[in-house]
Amino acid sequence: MERVTKLASEKPVVIFSKSSCCMSHTIKTLFYDFGVNPAVHELDEISRGREIEQTLSRLGCNPSVPAVFIGGEFVGGANEVMSLHLNRALIPMLRRVGALWV
């Protein structure tokens, strides 16, 4: 848990992903299209990625990827991020944590 907390706090937006996951790709693209530069951790490409994935599952992220943290706080997976976006709450949240300036 401590490792996930530390990684999740390294930038305003942190995404835990898998390089082969289409939903992870979609969420990363959404943030990139906004002009956000998230820290992305590809769990299938890093050491102890499986351990991190299990921790994310315990946090309630099901499926475990993508898992998005904004301002160090767990936001959720693809469904939660898309809901925030459709409800026009995502961009203000990104501005509040300094991930967007415009």
Side-chain angles (χ1 to χ4, degrees), residues 19-63:
S19 60
S20 60
C21 174
C22 64
M23 291 311 294
S24 292
H25 174 75
T26 301
I27 294 302
K28 290 184 288 188
T29 300
L30 176 70
F31 284 105
Y32 292 140
D33 286 350
F34 286 153
V36 173
N37 185 23
V40 177
H41 299 283
E42 301 289 357
L43 300 182
D44 56 341
E45 297 177 355
I46 62 173
S47 65
R48 299 175 69 191
R50 183 74 185 125
E51 180 184 319
I52 293 171
E53 188 174 1
Q54 290 170 344
T55 301
L56 293 170
S57 290
R58 285 192 299 274
L59 282 174
C61 197
N62 185 21

Side-chain angles (χ1 to χ4, degrees), residues 7-17 23-42 66-72 75 81 90 94 97-101:
L7 291 172
S9 299
E10 69 185 4
K11 287 186 102 176
V13 177
V14 178
I15 303 171
F16 292 94
S17 172
M23 291 311 294
S24 292
H25 174 75
T26 301
I27 294 302
K28 290 184 288 188
T29 300
L30 176 70
F31 284 105
Y32 292 140
D33 286 350
F34 286 153
V36 173
N37 185 23
V40 177
H41 299 283
E42 301 289 357
V68 178
F69 289 78
I70 297 176
V75 172
V81 170
L90 184 58
L94 294 171
V97 300
L100 283 178
W101 293 277

